[in-house]
Amino acid sequence: MADFQSHLDSFTAQGISLYALSTDPLDKARGTIEKLAITFPVLYGVDGPATAETLGCWYEEKRNIVQPAAFIIDPQRTLLSVTYSSCPVGRLTA
């Protein structure tokens, strides 16, 4: 998220919006948001298994996390790109 935050001005200038989802409860999500100085919307407390199933992501039960996924959607709501991760290698960067 920090990488995307560091490029937020560039995204905003191009009319691109960023959103993040987190399985963390409010207090933990707030800590991460503050630590990384995130200013784009972060939806916290999402149901990990249900979200993973809906989005096609990999859910890690042990840590109750949805491994990162990135979706690029155009203004007409056409899905242009999807990147799924199961570890830190190969994640989409800003």
Side-chain angles (χ1 to χ4, degrees):
M1 283 196 300
D3 183 41
F4 286 91
Q5 179 64 45
S6 70
H7 291 85
L8 187 59
D9 289 343
S10 177
F11 288 129
T12 302
Q14 297 176 67
I16 298 169
S17 300
L18 298 177
Y19 302 92
L21 304 176
S22 174
T23 57
D24 291 341
L26 176 58
D27 59 332
K28 189 172 179 185
R30 183 176 284 145
T32 300
I33 291 164
E34 290 172 359
K35 177 182 174 185
L36 300 177
I38 301 299
T39 60
F40 54 86
V42 178
L43 178 64
Y44 63 89
V46 300
D47 180 310
T51 301
E53 184 174 335
T54 299
L55 299 177
C57 304
W58 184 70
Y59 173 70
E60 185 180 329
E61 187 174 347
K62 182 178 177 182
R63 295 188 293 167
N64 184 36
I65 63 168
V66 176
Q67 286 287 344
F71 301 85
I72 300 174
I73 305 166
D74 73 10
Q76 291 73 39
R77 299 181 180 167
T78 301
L79 191 58
L80 300 177
S81 176
V82 179
T83 303
Y84 293 105
S85 301
S86 60
C87 67
V89 177
R91 290 184 180 168
L92 183 68
T93 61

